[in-house]
């Protein structure tokens, strides 16, 4: 009897000795210990890219440890990590944003179509100046991600609008870092409230798409910290994203993905980031350098990287401690995911509710640039609709930010559903023109990184127009699209084409001649030239790209069902070259580059091409309104600008000291005859004597609720001493000078309604690491006053 019991106990002990631990919050250490070096290497390298770019599911044959399992990418997500079932390690499933979840419509092995909601693009969201709404959009996106089994959304995009031509500006929020950081925080909190992670991107200084994978961005540490890192600092401190995506480019020499100063010293040690860093979708960097820098996860991943990690640990050029640190951090994110928690995908997001939310937010993200009284439309039964884009509204940009939505409501459909009649002649004309063009292009192959160019505008002759003018009002839509991998160009794209100018001129002349008004709708991805033609139409509505409900949302605003309350998050210059950064941007680059030797600024040996291989940020901190308002330069439309259907008065401005700075308050009253909301901006002018500063800097903002005529609301603006600080490159410290600050309450940066002085008794200083300096001090442009 004894013998079998002993045997049983022996077997049990042996089994236990060989039993593998399973991942749980309590035994991360044990799992780490149980993993082989090969398994660790595989966990730090992405598992597959999926069908992101429209091709078939691409699965690269890795030499994997036998235990590793590939995620079955039947939804066409952007990427995932490997699973190790024997250790209880599930994959992290990642899909793109930021304007909605990006999945394939067809899911392998399943019947039917699976759509996601296309929400307004980042720039349109930021134009609402309404962080509550942005958070709600985040929640809806998080719910869709949950419903489809996605663990981390590769969003939000939050690079700064350094220059109006960046092809991806539509994904990003603003030329101002505070607004960017606050919008990103709202989005991250919204998505993460549904237990779906985010990946704030692209960290950092990813300000152009031309040569995006190899460009070196050369800038001083003041501009770096105050402008390009500030938004990321805010989102990390306020919302702790699960992941940060390191960008493709270099900054002052090193690739972001290999730079410990950026990924460890600043991101983790100074700001307290607790999640993982994953690389943007390149596989070209030095593997050991990435692991050492704290780039925990290499996406999309390839077999060389995995083998490289194993090899370098074996020969001692990469320490196992560095590897373990990254593995531990990846395991900690695995633990948080819905996939790990066994939450099953339902495949049934509430697309109807999300479409309604998208429409509501879209109507608040539009910016009314001009209104000579024609809007909201009154006594209008019939609208004459011009411009290709009126009939094919653009819902969002191209590239990885494109969402596969079930539909896009055109302006034609939106106006029809709102009860307006339209001229069937114009409808037929435009629809046959677009169909004709489709046929011409039937043989071309377009992809999301190489989208079809816009269809040229029809040249509608003056004579024909003078003979028509049937409707009560004319609406012309001007469209622009842009996206990943290419920057926009001048004159094409930024300026209007000759056909577009003729269309605007002729329609305005013909309708004005018979006493009818003209409204221009801008369905654009970024800033365009407006100064030369803005006097012609009676109203200009900057709609941006509003997602799938675009046409309905524009109809809501035109008809007065919704009151516009969006404001610009960037400056519209008189002309492109008014932006100081324009002289250091590939505005007309069509490649391939002609090489010229300019080496000293980068410290690199090979011949490099200016604005392509490297870009000098000679404008320093004078980006956008920081430049225009400090140097008194005229603009077409200033930062923060936007009209309403009603008017607002600001009263009782006050500023009171708080434990940590001050709290400003102002009362906003609706003095007009329609309901509306007002976004109020708090700008600060610093006392002289300290560091040179822009004349005005946005330090806080707030938006009212919908105020009925006569109603008031008191808005609060808390500002900390740190929030007033500027970065001193000499001392490598953030500094807030003592003295008298002027606190301004603005309807835009150029429309300050009231100001109050505030005396800060004590100066403050926050020293930080002296890192990421350029090889040579950067000669910043002498900006002429
Ligand atoms: C883009 C990222 C995107 C990734 C995955 C990259 O090319 O730059 O923004 O998240 O692809 O699709």
């Amino acid at each position: 009897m004894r013998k079998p019991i002993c045997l049983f106990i022996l077997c049990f002990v042996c089994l236990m000795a060989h039993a593998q631990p399973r991942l749980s919050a309590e035994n991360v250490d044990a799992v780490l210990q149980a993993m082989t070096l090969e398994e660790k290497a595989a966990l730090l390298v992405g598992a597959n890219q999926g069908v992101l770019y429209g091709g078939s599911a691409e699965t690269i044959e890795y030499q994997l440890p036998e235990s590793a399992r590939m995620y079955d990418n039947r939804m066409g997500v952007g990427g995932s990590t490997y699973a190790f079932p024997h250790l209880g390690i599930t994959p992290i499933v990642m899909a793109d944003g930021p304007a909605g979840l990006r999945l394939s419509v067809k899911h392998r092995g399943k019947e039917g179509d699976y759509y996601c909601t296309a929400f307004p693009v980042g720039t349109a969201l930021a134009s609402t100046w309404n962080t509550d709404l942005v958070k709600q959009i985040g929640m809806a996106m998080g719910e869709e991600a949950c419903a489809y089994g996605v663990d981390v959304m590769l969003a939000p995009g939050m690079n700064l609008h350094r220059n109006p031509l960046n092809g991806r500006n539509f994904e990003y929020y603003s030329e101002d870092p505070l607004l960017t950081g606050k919008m990103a925080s709202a989005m991250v909190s919204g998505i993460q409230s549904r237990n779906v992670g985010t990946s704030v991107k692209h960290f950092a200084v990813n300000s152009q798409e031309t040569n995006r994978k190899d460009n070196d961005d050369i800038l001083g540490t003041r501009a770096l910290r105050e402008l390009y890192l500030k938004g990321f600092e805010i989102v990390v401190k306020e919302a702790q994203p699960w992941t940060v995506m390191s960008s493709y480019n270099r900054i002052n020499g090193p690739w972001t993905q290999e730079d410990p100063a950026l990924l460890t010293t600043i991101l983790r040690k100074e700001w307290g980031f607790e999640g993982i860093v994953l690389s943007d979708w390149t596989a070209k960097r030095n593997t050991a350098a990435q692991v050492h820098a704290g780039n925990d996860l290499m996406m999309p991943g390839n077999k060389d990287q995995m083998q490289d990690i194993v090899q370098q640990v074996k020969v001692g050029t990469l320490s196992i401690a560095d590897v373990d640190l990254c593995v531990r951090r990846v395991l900690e994110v695995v633990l948080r995911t819905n996939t790990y928690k066994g939450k099953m995908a339902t495949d049934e997001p509430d697309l109807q509710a999300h479409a309604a939310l998208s429409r509501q937010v879209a109507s608040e993200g539009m910016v009314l640039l001009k209104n000579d009284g024609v809007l909201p439309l009154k006594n209008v039964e019939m609208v004459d609709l011009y411009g290709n884009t009126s009939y094919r509204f653009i819902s969002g940009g191209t590239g990885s930010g494109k969402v596969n939505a079930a539909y896009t409501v055109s302006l034609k459909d939106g106006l029809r559903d709102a009860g307006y009649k339209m001229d069937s002649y114009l409808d037929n004309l435009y629809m046959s023109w677009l169909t004709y063009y489709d046929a011409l292009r039937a043989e071309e192959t377009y992809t999301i990184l190489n989208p079809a160019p816009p269809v040229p505008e029809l040249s509608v002759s003056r004579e024909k127009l003078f003979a028509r003018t049937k409707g009560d009002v004319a609406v012309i839509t001007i469209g622009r699209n842009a996206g990943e991998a290419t920057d926009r160009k001048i004159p094409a794209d930024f300026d209007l084409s000759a056909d577009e100018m003729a269309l605007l001129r002729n329609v305005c002349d013909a309708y004005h001649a018979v006493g009818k008004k003209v409204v221009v709708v801008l369905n654009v991805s970024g800033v365009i030239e407006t100064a030369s033609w803005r006097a012609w139409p009676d109203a200009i509505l900057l709609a941006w790209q509003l997602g799938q409900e675009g046409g309905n949302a524009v109809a809501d605003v035109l008809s007065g069902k919704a009151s516009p309350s969006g404001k610009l998050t960037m400056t519209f210059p008189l002309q492109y070259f008014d932006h100081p950064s324009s002289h250091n941007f590939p505005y007309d680059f069509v490649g391939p580059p002609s090489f010229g030797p300019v080496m000293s600024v980068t410290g690199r040996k090979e011949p490099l091409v200016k604005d392509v291989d490297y870009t000098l940020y000679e404008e320093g901190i004078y980006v956008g309104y920081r430049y225009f308002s400090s140097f008194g330069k005229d603009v077409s439309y200033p930062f923060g600008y936007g009209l309403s259907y009603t008017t607002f008065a600001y009263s009782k401005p006050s500023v009171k000291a708080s434990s940590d700075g001050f709290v400003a308050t102002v009362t906003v009253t609706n003095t007009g005859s329609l309901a509306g909301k007002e976004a109020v901006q708090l700008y600060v002018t610093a006392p002289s004597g300290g560091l040179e500063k822009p004349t005005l800097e946005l330090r806080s903002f707030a938006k009212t609720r919908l105020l009925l005529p006569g109603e008031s609301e008191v808005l609060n603006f808390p500002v900390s001493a740190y929030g007033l600080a500027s970065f001193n490159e000499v001392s490598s410290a953030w500094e807030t000078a003592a003295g008298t600050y002027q606190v301004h309450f603005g309807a835009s940066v150029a429309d300050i309604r009231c100001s109050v002085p505030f005396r800060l008794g004590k100066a403050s200083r926050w020293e930080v690491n002296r890192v990421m300096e350029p090889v040579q001090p950067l000669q910043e442009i002498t900006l002429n006053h």
Side-chain angles (χ1 to χ4, degrees), residues 45-49 60 62 279 282-283 298-303 305:
V45 173
N48 58 349
Q49 174 154 5
I60 308 161
Y62 296 103
S279 67
T282 184
M298 282 163 251
M299 297 303 294
N302 71 24
K303 128 186 152 192
Q305 292 171 312

Side-chain angles (χ1 to χ4, degrees), residues 269-289:
K269 296 197 176 141
E270 289 183 10
W271 301 347
F273 176 63
E274 292 164 2
I276 58 173
V277 175
L278 54 94
S279 67
D280 200 348
W281 266 228
T282 184
K284 286 189 356 187
R285 309 290 178 250
N286 179 309
T287 315

